[in-house]
Amino acid sequence: MNTYKNPWHKPQNPMYGLENYSTDEKPVLYRNYLIYERIKGHVWDVVKDGACVTQLAGLNGAKRAIDELQVAA
């Protein structure tokens, strides 16, 4: 089981999800980020240092987001 922080979690507002996300899926390592397909076929989470930094609807979108994060850094 892989678990990582949900930075959008708000205890007073459950629509923002649980404090942590978890998945049994193995991550894809890309440019020092981990990509988890948390909801099969629907949600890919980009994770850095134990926290989700963005969520995308596909593996290629997750990789593009990481490329953009690298350029912005």
Side-chain angles (χ1 to χ4, degrees):
M1 176 74 62
N2 299 296
T3 302
Y4 44 94
K5 184 174 173 43
N6 170 5
W8 304 284
H9 169 72
K10 294 184 173 138
Q12 70 281 11
N13 198 337
M15 70 182 269
Y16 290 97
L18 300 173
E19 184 175 358
N20 293 296
Y21 292 126
S22 61
T23 181
D24 288 326
E25 296 296 319
K26 290 187 175 194
V28 172
L29 178 62
Y30 182 74
R31 298 184 78 178
N32 294 318
Y33 288 78
L34 297 173
I35 303 170
Y36 291 97
E37 185 179 4
R38 183 169 47 88
I39 301 174
K40 196 78 171 162
H42 293 283
V43 177
W44 281 257
D45 294 339
V46 174
V47 176
K48 182 73 171 175
D49 299 327
C52 186
V53 295
T54 191
Q55 299 171 317
L56 290 298
L59 179 60
N60 288 334
K63 288 180 177 180
R64 279 192 301 275
I66 292 168
D67 292 341
E68 291 173 12
L69 288 167
Q70 293 282 310
V71 169

